[in-house]
Amino acid sequence: MTGLDKGFSGSGEPRPEPGAGPYFPGPAARRGPVPPPRAPLPAPTSAVTSGANVLPMTLHGTPGDITTAVDGRITIENGVIGKIAELAALEIGGVAALVPASPGPDAQKSDTVRAGVRVDLDEHADEVALDVAIAVEYGTVIKDVAKLVKANVARVAGLMLGMRIAAVNVSVEDVRLPADQAATRA
C-alpha cells in the first residue's frame, strides 16, 4: 500500500476524517485560518478592491504602477453607444419596444442608426447626441414615459461612456397593447 492508500496526503501529512471540514493541502506555514463550514470567505486584502477604478493586480503590480502615459487611443463604436441607449430605454416601465428610427433630413454620414436609436458622436468635443424612437404601452401617460426614457438614457449613457451627453431626443412613434394583454387577445 502507498501513503495515499493509508490516509496520507502526497506530502506525508495525514488527511482529515471525512466531514471534518475543508482540507487545504500544502505546507503548514502557508496555511491561514480555516473558516468554519458554510461561512463566507473574507474579502481580499488589496488596497483597492471595489469600484469602477479597480486595477488588475497581475504580475504582483500595484495601482501606483500605472502612472506613465501610454500611446494609443480608445474607440467606442457608435453601435455600442446605440446599444447602451437602447437597453437604458427598455428599462423604463411603459416602453413597449424601440421602433426603427430613420435618419432625419439633417442627418450626417457619421450618424449611426441602431434599432430605435440614432447616434451623433462628436469625437472632437467628446460628446454625443442621441435620438431614441419608442413605442409606448397603451394606458400609460406618454409624456411621463418619454421624460423617464430621456433621463435614464442620459444618465446611463453618460456614466458608461464617460462623456458628455449633449442631447437625448425621444420620439414616440407608436402605441401598443402591453405584452400580457396582447397575448390574451391572440
Side-chain angles (χ1 to χ4, degrees):
M1 285 184 121
T2 66
L4 295 174
D5 295 331
K6 294 180 183 176
F8 289 91
S9 68
S11 62
E13 301 170 346
R15 278 195 249 170
E17 295 297 318
Y23 174 66
F24 303 102
R30 286 184 39 199
R31 284 191 214 150
V34 177
R38 293 190 163 48
L41 295 175
T45 57
S46 170
V48 180
T49 57
S50 64
N53 296 324
V54 175
L55 299 174
M57 305 303 272
T58 57
L59 299 177
H60 307 289
T62 64
D65 292 344
I66 305 176
T67 57
T68 58
V70 178
D71 288 339
R73 66 176 166 221
I74 298 171
T75 304
I76 302 171
E77 295 295 324
N78 286 1
V80 172
I81 297 170
K83 181 75 171 195
I84 291 169
E86 176 185 340
L87 293 172
L90 290 172
E91 287 179 343
I92 302 301
V95 175
L98 271 72
V99 296
S102 58
D106 58 345
Q108 301 172 4
K109 296 239 185 249
S110 64
D111 296 352
T112 298
V113 177
R114 176 184 163 53
V117 179
R118 187 176 66 85
V119 177
D120 181 14
L121 178 63
D122 184 355
E123 293 179 30
H124 301 294
D126 198 28
E127 67 182 23
V128 64
L130 301 163
D131 295 327
V132 182
I134 62 171
V136 296
E137 292 180 349
Y138 177 77
T140 60
V141 179
I142 294 174
K143 267 199 148 178
D144 291 347
V145 172
K147 284 179 185 178
L148 290 172
V149 167
K150 180 179 174 181
N152 199 50
V153 168
R155 182 183 65 82
V156 171
L159 288 172
M160 289 189 70
L161 299 171
M163 59 177 54
R164 183 177 175 276
I165 307 301
V168 176
N169 303 307
V170 179
S171 63
V172 179
E173 303 285 332
D174 196 7
V175 132
R176 298 182 185 171
L177 283 175
D180 57 343
Q181 288 182 11
T184 58
R185 293 188 123 201

